[in-house]
Amino acid sequence: MPVTDPAARARFLAAVRFNEHGLLPVIAQAAPAEGGQGGEVLMMAWMNAEALEETLATGRVVYFSRSRKALWRKGESSGQVQHWTDLRLDCDGDTLLALVEQKGVACHTGRRSCFFQALRDDEMTAITAPDVDPKVLYAG
Amino acid sequence: MPVTDPAARARFLAAVRFNEHGLLPVIAQAAPAEGGQGGEVLMMAWMNAEALEETLATGRVVYFSRSRKALWRKGESSGQVQHWTDLRLDCDGDTLLALVEQKGVACHTGRRSCFFQALRDDEMTAITAPDVDPKVLYAG
């Protein structure tokens, strides 16, 4: 649900405290089912002011890629886009929680969530299997 | 559930890519109910290697306070401690998801979750009310 009023978008941006690199950590969580407390945490990435402005204006989640130093319209190469249903800033304005409708999978490994490494029987283990072959996600 | 084997803790730490300041962003999410997909995202904070080691060894969540430049045993002044039920590292090892049993509230404002600022009718709004008066949390 895009925020069509530029003044409202400016109010949101004014409440954000970007870090010393002009970036904001963003947690993407699957939007909860009706009445639910919350869905799966899918990934964490970063936005700069431009990415947040475009995210607010379009309803589609846009990050800033620190490695590419460019806007990263999530799903632009994989098709696995995110549309947000709510954007919630934390108490001190330096972290954003995006509730999203995730098309397909969030992780470049083909898993629904990026958070899949954990100790099991004292060994680091992949606790979920890919839903999709990454070769399919990023094929031409 | 503490990790009692120091070698297992070392394997976990070896999988982490701390940032240029030696820190790791940590998302605390309420542990899901039996069979559930996930609970509420409560807060985001940071750990250094020492905080993560103590978190693994004790079962209690310990952060690193960037403002105090010291370990922050969550709840040490407020009583609102966190015990983890799982610690999940993301695909590239640079973000941690802690599933936690939160005693009381996570936020210093007395709210369950720190993520309570959002646009409603185009105005930045506190979408939840405090459960506890912060003066009570930090009294004494």
Side-chain angles (χ1 to χ4, degrees), chain A residues 5 11 29 37-40 44 86-91 114-118 120 122-124 127, chain B residues 11-12 25 29 37-40 44 86-91 114-118 120 122-124 127:
Chain A
D5 180 3
R11 282 193 287 275
Q29 180 182 27
Q37 275 293 297
E40 197 173 7
M44 202 278 271
D86 205 9
L87 297 173
R88 297 181 187 167
L89 201 57
D90 74 343
C91 47
C114 292
F115 295 95
F116 63 82
Q117 301 193 76
R120 293 293 182 268
D122 281 351
E123 298 291 339
M124 286 304 281
I127 63 170
Chain B
R11 282 193 287 274
F12 198 108
Q29 181 182 27
Q37 275 293 297
E40 196 173 8
M44 203 279 271
D86 205 9
L87 297 173
R88 297 181 187 167
L89 201 58
D90 74 344
C91 48
C114 292
F115 295 95
F116 63 82
Q117 302 193 74
R120 293 292 182 266
D122 281 352
E123 299 291 338
M124 286 304 280
I127 62 169

Side-chain angles (χ1 to χ4, degrees), chain B residues 37-49:
Chain B
Q37 275 293 297
E40 196 173 8
V41 173
L42 301 173
M43 58 181 284
M44 203 279 271
W46 299 79
M47 289 184 187
N48 63 2

Side-chain angles (χ1 to χ4, degrees), chain A residues 12-19 23-25 89 92-95, chain B residues 66:
Chain A
F12 197 108
L13 272 117
V16 174
R17 295 196 315 162
F18 293 95
N19 73 8
L23 298 176
L24 173 73
L89 201 57
D92 53 4
D94 68 0
T95 308
Chain B
R66 294 177 302 167

Side-chain angles (χ1 to χ4, degrees), chain B residues 79-130:
Chain B
Q80 312 292 284
V81 299
Q82 293 177 344
H83 288 92
W84 59 267
T85 61
D86 205 9
L87 297 173
R88 297 181 187 167
L89 201 58
D90 74 344
C91 48
D92 53 4
D94 69 359
T95 308
L96 185 68
L97 176 66
L99 299 179
V100 304
E101 291 174 346
Q102 170 71 57
K103 183 170 176 196
V105 299
C107 186
H108 73 288
T109 65
R111 291 172 173 87
R112 174 87 176 147
S113 164
C114 292
F115 295 95
F116 63 82
Q117 302 193 74
L119 285 174
R120 293 292 182 266
D121 297 328
D122 281 352
E123 299 291 338
M124 286 304 280
T125 304
I127 62 169
T128 59

